Amino acid sequence: MGLPPIYYHYFARPLPYLRALHLQESIHALQLEQRRASASAHKDVLLLLQHTPVYTGGRRQTEAELARERTRLAALGADFVLAQRGGELTYHGPGQLVGYPLLDLARTDPALGIREYICRLQRVLALHLREAHGLVPVETAHTGVFLGAQAKVASIGVQVRHRLTAHGFAVNVTREPQRWFDEVVACGLPDVRATSIEAAAGRETAVEAEVPGVVARFGRVMEREMAPLELGADALGELVGAVDQESRTHS
Amino acid sequence: MSAQRVMHRAPLTLRRTVVTKHFTQDHEAVKFDSDTGVGTVTITDYAQKSLGDIVFVELPEEGATIEKGESVGAVESVKAASDIFAPVSGEVISINTKLGESPSLLNKSPEEDGWLYQLNLSEPGELESLLTEEQYKEFCES
C-alpha cells in the first residue's frame, strides 16, 4: 500500500503570524492525538501562505537580546514574535511565499532523518527556482537558498517534536520583502542581503502564481501525491477552514 | 548478662554498582544508577545521525522539576530545532555545560561525553515503561 497524499492549502489572504502559529499548534496536537489512536489516522499537510509584516526570532534568541530591536521594528509597522523553530532572526510579509509542511517524518520506513528533511526542503525550492525561472542557486554551507554568495532568496527554520514537523520555509517572490530585510541583520549573516525571484529573474511575478509549481515540486521531492485539502471535511479541514474563513472576513 | 560481645564486621565485599540503561521512542536514553537514584539523560547515536551537525543545545535549568513527557529543551542543527522530552520525572541536579561551548560533542559522543543533564528520579517506576536496549535496537531497525 502506498503512502497517503500530503494535503495542501494556500491561504489567499495574508495571515498574522500568531494566527498561523496557533493553527500549526492545533494541527500538531490533532496529529499527535490521532497518531496515538492509530498509526495512519493523522494526515500530513502543507500550508502555503503570506504573512502580514512580522520579524521572528528562533530558539537561540533571548528576549533580552531582542528587546531593543522589538521597539524599533514595531515602529516600522511590523509584529515581533519569538518562535520555537531553529534558525535566527528573519522577516515574513506580503510578497513572500511561506510554506509550513506539517509532516510525520516517521510516515516512511525508515523514518526521514531531520538533516535529510531539511535537504529536501532546499531541493524543492532550488528545483522551483531553476525550472520555473531559470535561476540557479549557488552552493553554500549555510542552510537556505542563495542566488549569490551574499544574496539570499529563501530561508528555512523548522521545529520537530515527536517526529512531527512545524514551521518550514519562506521564499521571497516579489521585491516587497527586501526593504524590510534591509532593516535587520537576518539569519545571523551580516554580509548577506535578501533578494527575490522578481529581482533575480528581472520580471514581475506574484506569490499566487508560484503556488502550483511549488506544490508540484514538493510532491516530487517528497515522493508523495499532493491533494488539495477539503476545508470543513474533517477535523483537519475544519481547523484550516476556520482560519481561512476568518482571514477573508477580516481583511 | 554481660558476656563479652564481639562485634564482627561483615567483610567489605566488592559490589557492582547497578547501572541500567533505558530508551525512548524519541531516541533518548537514561542511564540509571539504582544506588544513588540519579539518572543521566542523553540522546542516542541514532538521534545525532538523524540531526546532522548540532550547533546549539537548549537544556533545562538546574533545580528545575520536570515531568515525564514534558518538553525540556531542544537540540538545533541546520536550522531544525528538535525538542527533547523528559524520559522520566524528577529534579534536574546538573547540566552538561560543555555543550554550551562545544555542541558538536553531541555528535561525537552522544551517549557518553555529550550527556545532557542529570536528575534525581522522583518515580523510578517510570523506567519500566521505557524500552530496553534490545527493544530500542529493534525499534530502530523496524
Side-chain angles (χ1 to χ4, degrees), chain A residues 100-174:
Chain A
Y100 294 142
L102 306 178
L103 314 176
D104 183 352
L105 297 178
R107 181 92 54 181
T108 54
D109 184 19
L112 190 60
I114 288 169
R115 180 168 48 172
E116 173 63 17
Y117 170 60
I118 301 292
C119 266
R120 290 197 187 191
L121 291 184
Q122 292 185 159
R123 213 181 306 156
V124 171
L125 298 173
L127 215 52
H128 180 73
L129 290 164
R130 242 188 19 239
E131 292 182 351
H133 300 284
L135 299 170
V136 183
V138 301
E139 286 286 317
T140 167
H142 301 297
T143 304
V145 186
F146 290 73
L147 292 179
Q150 275 143 4
K152 192 172 188 189
V153 71
S155 301
I156 288 175
V158 160
Q159 179 186 19
V160 182
R161 288 165 291 181
H162 303 296
R163 299 170 302 288
L164 296 173
T165 66
H167 300 274
F169 60 85
V171 54
N172 300 329
V173 175
T174 73

Side-chain angles (χ1 to χ4, degrees), chain B residues 25 63 83 87 93 136:
Chain B
Q25 293 192 349
D83 279 47
I93 54 177
Y136 175 67

Side-chain angles (χ1 to χ4, degrees), chain A residues 59-60 84-88 109-116 118 142-144 152 156-163 187 189, chain B residues 25-27 46 48-53 55-56 58 69 71 73-74 76-83 85 139-142:
Chain A
R59 259 181 134 122
R60 282 187 262 174
Q84 294 298 293
R85 56 158 174 78
E88 298 181 64
D109 184 19
L112 190 60
I114 288 169
R115 180 168 48 172
E116 173 63 17
I118 301 292
H142 301 297
T143 304
K152 192 172 188 189
I156 288 175
V158 160
Q159 179 186 19
V160 182
R161 288 165 291 181
H162 303 296
R163 299 170 302 288
C187 313
L189 300 169
Chain B
Q25 293 192 349
D26 282 328
H27 305 290
Y46 182 101
Q48 72 81 15
K49 282 195 191 118
S50 151
L51 286 162
D53 291 339
V55 298
F56 182 70
E58 190 190 296
S71 169
E76 187 178 330
S77 61
V78 285
K79 308 301 172 82
S82 202
D83 279 47
F85 297 92
F139 168 71
C140 290
E141 275 149 36
S142 66

